[in-house]
Amino acid sequence: MMKKKSSPQFDPDALMATAGDKVVARGMDYFLAGAVEIIATEKTRVVARVAGTQDYRTVVCGEDEAIGGECSCPAFERDAVCKHMVAVALAANAALVSGKGVVAGPLAEIRSYLAKKSVGALVEMIVDLAESDAALMRKLEVAAAASGDDPKTFVKRMRQAIDAATQTRDFVEYRRVRGWAAGVNAALDGLADAASGPHAAAVIELADHAIETIEAAIAMIDDSDGHGSALLAHAQEIHLQACKAARPEPKALARLLFLRETEGEYDPFTGAAAIYEDVLGEEGLAEYRRLANEAFDALPPRRGRSGERPSFSVEAWRLTSILDFFAERDGDLEQRIALRAKDGKSQWHYLQLAEFCRDNGLDERALGYAEEGLWLFEDDRPDERLVFFTVDLSLSLGRKEPAKAHLWRAFEKDPSVALYDRLRELGGKDAGLRAVDHLMTRLEGARSTRWHFPADLVVRVMVAERMFDEAWKVIRDHGASRGAQETLAPASETSHPREALEVFEEGVEQLAQAGGNPAYEEAAALIARMRPLRKATEHAAYLEALKARHGRKRNLMQLLG
């Protein structure tokens, strides 16, 4: 009998955090109804059968605050947790805390029964089971092929297993994807078992084939949980292990890996030169570098001031990453900078280049590249990340006036609150007034639409400058969004109570119409804020009118008293 323990096997708080109160409550019902039959108990794992709509195989794993597991029920397929898991955890806890434990269950009895059978009898039993279980049949076929000496038979059987496991026929919905992925994993596991054996050379080709079939299948599954990426990673790891065992010709391997890394739709071979470095050796790495340099030199150059901007190139990004690995391996900082400089297709690329230089202690070059990016793309909308990087680096180098000039150029092209804040920080009140003047000039002739309010920015800047008279005039003349008005109203409620009250009253009306306790509480808070802004008689009259309109909304009426 197991020794009695004072604490449960699965932490109740962790169980609640994992499953939630509703699922825990349902699991408690199953446990109390005696629906759990524990089959096997280990230190951090319990296997059980739970009676429900049908019998479900349920596994609960966990230690300390981490709880997981699996179940054959539909709810687990959907939510990755279920009431059956909770019921099993509660049953295991009850058995452990009571001191009863699990002396033996069906699984222990089965093990004892099988141990008494002859090998021949066991073989017949397994074969009989495999005839009615396609997954078991496939697993045994893979294992049998891997154990044989005939490479042709091995390759044929393994390709059949991979193709059968990865085929989808039609679209695989979310609830079926886990099962599909489990079948693919089973085939890959069989391949992994052979990766270090006499069939290692064949496994290289088979793993590559598996990656191709998985990539083709991903388009036909609901891959919300990322099963496709996990399968590709598994297949790539098998490929690597087989290469380590079989040691293919280095140059041929380099050509295959380079093709997969640069032309693959997905990324299982990203960083292959580094991952396969030991297998490739110096000869294979030299071939990999040659191929990358050749392809990189064929890329179009970065655009000039008047050139057309090329679209983002995945090929360029991949080649840059490959050559950067070799440059870093050589300790060649200048080459790493040159690689990034060639890919100047956007302000973002220049930002990456400048940040790289700065991170390597080259502040002057970093500033030069940042300013070059702003200059080359001066006709485009400024990327504020590059603008602020340039400003911050200029300031750190003691160049305040150039920093202000960069901010003003960006603000005049595409003004924003963030740019205004930095201008105000560096230029003080004069900068704030200049920003207002510029925004007012831009506002002339601009028209508001249902979704666009050109006056919003100037209103927000005027609020920051405490120019409340001017801000309300802008709203009267040009209109503004609800958000801009709600920014101005509380800021100016003391100096402009009438205007603020109009905004607050409209807000209360909208919240009352929306309904729900959170909206009612927000409306009550607004009403309380309105009280000091007018005479008591006026506020009382407003409340009476409000109650007349919304008297049926009892929760709101209770909040209003």
Side-chain angles (χ1 to χ4, degrees), residues 76-100:
F76 179 81
E77 288 291 326
R78 182 183 66 248
D79 303 325
V81 67
C82 66
K83 59 192 176 185
H84 307 111
M85 292 172 60
V86 172
V88 171
L90 294 174
N93 285 352
L96 194 60
V97 172
S98 69
K100 295 179 180 179

Side-chain angles (χ1 to χ4, degrees), residues 476-504:
R476 288 192 296 272
D477 293 345
H478 299 278
S481 69
R482 180 74 194 166
Q485 294 180 53
E486 290 176 344
T487 298
L488 176 57
S492 64
E493 62 185 14
T494 302
S495 59
H496 296 74
R498 180 178 60 81
E499 291 88 344
L501 281 167
E502 290 179 0
V503 174
F504 293 154

Side-chain angles (χ1 to χ4, degrees), residues 275-319:
I275 296 170
Y276 288 77
E277 184 174 4
D278 294 340
V279 181
L280 288 167
E282 293 303 321
E283 184 180 4
L285 289 171
E287 177 67 6
Y288 214 107
R289 174 180 280 189
R290 183 191 70 77
L291 293 168
N293 276 318
E294 188 178 277
F296 191 78
D297 291 341
L299 292 175
R302 62 191 176 100
R303 80 171 207 174
R305 182 185 177 103
S306 60
E308 292 297 323
R309 172 167 43 170
S311 59
F312 173 75
S313 169
V314 173
E315 180 187 12
W317 175 78
R318 287 173 172 171
L319 291 171

